Amino acid sequence: MGIDPDDFLAVDELLDADARTVRDTVRAYARAELAPHVSDWYDGGGLPVEAAKELAKLGLFGMHLTGYGCAGLPATAYGVACRELEAVDSGLRSFMSAHGSLAMSAIHRHGSEEQREKWLPGMAAGELIGCFGLTEPDAGSDPGSLRTTAVRTGGEWVVSGSKMWITNGTFADVAVIWAKVADPDGPDHGRIRGFLVPTDTPGFTARKIERKLSLRASVTAELALDEVRVPGDAVLPGALGLSGPLTCLNEARFGILWGAVGAARSCYLEALRHTTTRTQFGRPLASFQLVQAKLAQMVVAVNGAALTAVHLGRLKDAGTLQPEQISFGKLANVRAAADVARIARSLLGGAGITLDHTVMRHMNNLETVMTYEGTEEMHVLSIARSITGLSAFR
């Protein structure tokens, strides 16, 4: 039957029926409803919340969670959805990831039954949007040094501090805010806890971060909490210490390692189309050896990343996936995607720098994907620690 240039190693033959259905549904919707507009969203510097909420109709929000209106699909099916969204733009996957894998996952994993019932059905339906506030201006790779505090006052918590680089921050309805408990007489003094903060609470403000050069089709915000008062039951009871937010970050990183495959695939396919149809020196560009070498290099990178994603998805569905293996996937797949995007940009020549094509947009986006949910350096050190037994940081 020959080899399919879109899927050189027939990686999708490894997907089960659920994942293939998700692939076909999300791919068709993303290409028809999102791709025609994403360049304008990128150029304008944001994703319309109405467009984002349309994703709920596909059942994508919290699709890997069970109950409360969530689809309860396998992790691999969720990964495929991330891949197909990021094939259009990283900002689309980032929106779904921050809402579903961070905010919804935090409530689902660490929340009380009352909190789950209150928030998750509306979030799954797209009626409520969530964001996840961990990173701060002075606490990025070292979240344990965050300065946001929560003080118990009577039957309330008073939360004060600031958060930075928060996806969905300006249109979220609820923010999962991670803060250090400041209660010298209490058992949790100095420990990091999670709090559910409705964004219409007095003292809560969100400011859109402007002038971004990457991930522009995604709304990123700075959050300020000025003595924000929330009820005593706003705290997530199952999250004690830094392990609470880190478990959520691993969910998001899993989606990223899949999403990077989509971005890489899109760049490779656009370069393939361009070089097989554009003629120079009386021949298609793809007929020259140097061009063919670059195309082959991209095929190897895309399919290697795709295989990594499927394997890690299977490990996650089996319940054996380790955080260091997620670090491996994010590090390897984002690096591969960034390399493919740069090669593709070079093959498109001058046309590659415009928004009439996808490659420069993907290339810029991947610079951010390389950094968020753990920088390259932190993932390298995480992998090295797991194989040496020695930590190079705290």
Side-chain angles (χ1 to χ4, degrees), residues 38-390:
V38 73
S39 290
D40 291 336
W41 294 336
Y42 184 95
D43 198 29
L47 178 68
V49 65
E50 296 79 12
K53 289 183 176 182
E54 286 293 311
L55 298 177
K57 296 179 180 179
L58 299 180
L60 301 184
F61 291 163
M63 61 183 288
H64 54 309
L65 306 176
T66 56
Y68 313 99
C70 302
L73 289 173
T76 301
Y78 169 69
V80 169
C82 291
R83 184 187 73 181
E84 297 305 322
L85 284 180
E86 194 149 354
V88 176
D89 193 87
S90 299
L92 299 171
R93 197 265 314 134
S94 182
F95 168 82
M96 184 177 78
S97 178
H99 177 63
S101 285
L102 291 177
M104 290 183 69
S105 177
I107 298 170
H108 192 276
R109 179 186 292 264
H110 301 300
S112 66
E113 185 60 28
E114 291 74 18
Q115 290 168 338
R116 297 186 193 110
E117 292 285 357
K118 177 179 180 179
W119 293 107
L120 291 178
M123 295 174 81
E127 297 164 359
L128 301 171
I129 300 299
C131 67
F132 187 88
L134 176 64
T135 299
E136 297 183 358
D138 296 317
S141 293
D142 181 16
S145 65
L146 63 82
R147 298 180 180 177
T148 299
T149 60
V151 179
R152 190 69 182 256
T153 304
E156 296 181 317
W157 290 96
V158 180
V159 184
S160 299
S162 62
K163 300 294 179 179
M164 195 70 174
W165 306 114
I166 308 304
T167 302
N168 305 342
T170 59
F171 54 68
D173 299 286
V174 60
V176 179
I177 299 295
W178 300 93
K180 279 186 180 176
V181 175
D183 181 8
D185 299 323
D188 292 337
H189 178 66
R191 300 188 74 177
I192 294 174
R193 302 297 305 269
F195 298 85
L196 300 179
V197 181
T199 57
D200 60 358
T201 306
F204 182 98
T205 56
R207 180 184 65 83
K208 180 181 177 182
I209 296 174
E210 304 283 1
R211 304 184 73 187
K212 293 189 301 180
L213 298 178
S214 174
L215 213 68
R216 290 179 53 79
S218 173
V219 175
T220 312
E222 178 181 6
L223 309 182
L225 298 98
D226 183 9
E227 296 189 349
V228 173
R229 293 180 174 270
V230 293
D233 61 3
V235 66
L236 294 171
L240 296 170
L242 196 55
S243 63
L246 292 184
T247 57
C248 303
L249 290 175
N250 279 328
E251 293 293 327
R253 290 165 181 161
F254 176 78
I256 289 172
L257 71 87
W258 275 90
V261 179
R265 186 189 70 202
S266 288
C267 291
Y268 150 66
L269 289 177
E270 184 162 38
L272 179 63
R273 286 191 296 269
H274 180 80
T275 56
T276 54
T277 57
R278 180 170 172 80
T279 299
Q280 292 289 279
F281 304 104
R283 301 162 54 185
L285 282 175
S287 69
F288 292 93
Q289 289 184 0
L290 289 177
V291 174
Q292 290 199 357
K294 292 181 178 181
L295 292 171
Q297 183 179 348
M298 287 191 284
V299 168
V300 171
V302 172
N303 284 264
L307 283 171
T308 296
V310 170
H311 179 63
L312 294 181
R314 288 179 166 182
L315 291 180
K316 187 167 175 57
D317 285 326
T320 60
L321 183 62
Q322 300 300 307
E324 295 84 359
Q325 293 170 325
I326 296 176
S327 287
F328 179 105
K330 182 186 185 272
L331 177 69
N333 283 9
V334 177
R335 275 185 176 178
D339 289 343
V340 168
R342 293 185 187 108
I343 295 169
R345 210 290 312 153
S346 72
L347 289 176
L348 265 71
I353 71 169
T354 74
L355 283 175
D356 294 332
H357 299 277
T358 67
V359 292
M360 189 75 168
R361 177 165 49 81
H362 279 300
M363 190 174 80
N364 285 351
N365 285 339
L366 287 164
E367 291 298 318
T368 296
V369 177
M370 218 176 275
T371 299
Y372 69 10
E373 314 297 0
T375 63
E376 276 202 333
E377 292 81 359
M378 296 307 296
H379 288 299
V380 166
L381 296 179
S382 175
I383 293 167
R385 180 177 59 184
S386 72
I387 61 176
T388 66
L390 302 170

